[in-house]
């Protein structure tokens, strides 16, 4: 008989962020294929909301006693995807995740950073803390080449950094009806100084010329507010808003019908790439540029949303969408093949006591 392997999953889960929930679904799907008995502990906000859908133990990510109890129960702690280690939006969040690494180390657990996006830190204290805490990790994998280069430099080559795709890219879409066939997918974030009038004007101009309808895909509650504002300003027949619900693979089935995607949130682009939909990224953050370069798709700076450059790039990707799609499919196929079952085959088996 094989003894059970016990894992804890740490991430930005429970905040109704579509990208992070896609990461969670993908990782759990990979883990369910593991050939040994496996028990999972998930740390999440609003833990009760996962009780019916998550097959394992769900604990509050905000309760220190729950964190100690949960980590004590497991053999391995997996920090799952996303940009967890950053000080751009919150230094406190960075301390939270670094603190969990230290706690896991004190409790003698194996620590895995899986499919992370790491950006340059703003503060020298952040760099010092990350550089020291990450030395406690047993395996580190990152989701893009720029994260790989930056982390390698920060750690001074003291840890081997592996490259894998973003976990969300491994989710397969469900077949859905063709209600949204040939739409243009769009996603914008509630960013200060978002030039709504300019965006609406250029979208309307494009729709009138190419006879295409837009489908707005909100990946968070805040995205939905922007979508409704854009819809109010466009002629009613030009745009619909898709409300993601249920299984993430269903949303991917809808996304797969798009002719192209115009996306601000990183996971709107990652998920588009996963289903072979060419995209135009809005570079509000370096991680958008990094991913677009990795898969050879177009992106424009955020400041260009109020210039002719946004419209001309939108037209360029649309008119050459078949070429962009073919190039994207070839690159993504290779990336997926390199990363298939990466968490299982190259990481967990290494730490399996039964191996």
């Amino acid at each position: 008989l094989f003894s059970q392997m016990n894992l804890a999953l740490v991430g930005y889960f429970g905040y109704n962020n579509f990208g992070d929930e896609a990461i969670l679904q993908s990782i759990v799907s990979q883990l369910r294929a593991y050939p040994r008995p496996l028990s999972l502990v998930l740390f999440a906000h609003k833990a009760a909301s996962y009780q019916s859908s998550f097959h394992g133990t769900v604990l509050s990510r905000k309760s220190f006693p729950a964190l100690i109890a949960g980590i004590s129960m497991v053999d391995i702690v997996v920090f799952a995807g996303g940009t967890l280690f950053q000080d751009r939006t919150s230094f406190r969040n960075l301390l939270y995740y670094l603190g969990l690494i230290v706690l896991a180390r004190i409790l003698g657990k194996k620590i895995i950073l899986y499919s992370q996006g790491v950006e340059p830190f703003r503060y020298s204290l952040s760099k010092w803390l990350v550089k020291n805490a990450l030395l406690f990790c047993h395996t580190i994998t990152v989701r893009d080449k720029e994260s790989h280069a930056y982390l390698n430099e920060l750690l001074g080559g003291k840890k081997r950094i592996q490259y894998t795709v973003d976990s969300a890219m491994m989710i397969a879409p469900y077949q859905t009806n063709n209600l949204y066939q040939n739409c243009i997918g769009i996603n914008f974030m509630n960013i200060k100084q978002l030039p709504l009038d300019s965006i609406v004007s250029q979208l309307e101009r494009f729709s009138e010329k190419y006879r295409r309808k837009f489908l707005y895909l909100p990946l968070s509650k805040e995205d939905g507010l922007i979508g409704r504002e854009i819809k109010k300003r466009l002629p009613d027949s030009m745009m619909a808003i898709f409300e993601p619900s249920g299984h993430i693979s269903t949303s991917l089935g809808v996304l797969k019908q798009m002719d192209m995607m115009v996306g601000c949130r990183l996971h709107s682009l990652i998920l588009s790439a996963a289903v072979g939909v060419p995209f135009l990224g809005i570079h509000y953050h370096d991680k958008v540029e990094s991913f677009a370069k990795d898969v050879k798709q177009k992106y424009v700076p955020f400041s260009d949303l109020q210039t002719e450059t946004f419209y001309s790039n939108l037209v360029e990707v649309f008119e050459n969408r078949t070429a962009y799609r073919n190039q994207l499919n070839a690159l993504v196929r290779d990336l997926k093949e390199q990363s298939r079952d990466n968490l299982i085959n190259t990481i967990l088996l290494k730490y399996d006591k039964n191996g």
Side-chain angles (χ1 to χ4, degrees), residues 27 33 48-49 91 130 171:
I27 287 178
S49 65
F91 183 68
V130 170
I171 302 176

Side-chain angles (χ1 to χ4, degrees), residues 219-347:
L219 300 194
S220 73
K221 190 175 180 180
E222 292 76 18
D223 293 1
L225 298 175
I226 295 298
R228 287 189 286 277
E229 190 59 41
I230 293 174
K231 184 169 173 56
K232 275 197 302 189
R233 302 184 189 201
L234 283 172
D236 197 49
S237 61
M238 262 186 202
M239 181 178 135
I241 298 178
F242 178 72
E243 299 293 349
S245 60
H247 207 282
I248 286 169
S249 292
T250 304
S251 299
L252 282 181
V254 170
L255 183 54
K256 191 174 182 180
Q257 298 174 41
M258 303 296 104
D259 271 349
M260 65 173 288
M261 181 75 196
V262 180
C264 200
R265 277 198 189 275
L266 177 64
H267 274 97
S268 70
L269 310 180
I270 288 172
L271 295 171
S272 295
V275 293
V277 172
F279 65 76
L280 175 64
I282 308 302
H283 179 196
Y284 81 98
H285 194 289
D286 288 346
K287 59 188 178 183
V288 169
E289 177 186 7
S290 182
F291 179 68
K293 285 179 176 176
D294 280 355
V295 293
K296 294 185 167 51
Q297 298 292 293
K298 298 281 283 186
Y299 65 92
V300 294
F302 179 79
S303 58
D304 281 352
L305 286 174
Q306 48 196 341
T307 72
E308 182 69 19
T309 304
F310 171 55
Y311 181 78
S312 63
N313 276 276
L314 177 58
V315 167
E316 202 267 328
V317 175
F318 177 75
E319 291 187 344
N320 297 286
R321 60 192 181 279
T322 301
Y324 276 109
R325 186 185 297 269
N326 291 341
Q327 178 174 251
L328 181 64
N329 280 332
L331 284 166
V332 169
R333 185 170 56 246
D334 288 347
L335 286 171
K336 283 184 176 181
E337 199 53 47
Q338 291 167 26
S339 302
R340 190 167 303 283
D341 295 332
N342 182 286
L343 183 58
I344 293 168
N345 292 334
T346 67
I347 299 175

Side-chain angles (χ1 to χ4, degrees), residues 166-210:
D166 188 282
S167 313
M169 199 179 281
M170 305 303 286
I171 302 176
Y174 286 160
Q175 290 289 349
T176 61
N177 59 43
N178 292 330
L179 186 61
Y180 302 109
Q181 196 74 36
N182 302 128
C183 283
I184 307 296
I186 56 174
N187 166 267
F188 291 97
M189 292 173 63
N190 192 7
I191 300 173
K192 194 176 179 182
Q193 299 174 327
L194 184 71
L196 274 177
D197 288 338
S198 176
I199 290 168
V200 168
S201 170
Q202 296 185 72
L203 292 179
E204 187 170 359
R205 178 181 166 195
F206 177 90
S207 181
E208 287 173 348
K209 179 175 181 179
Y210 292 102

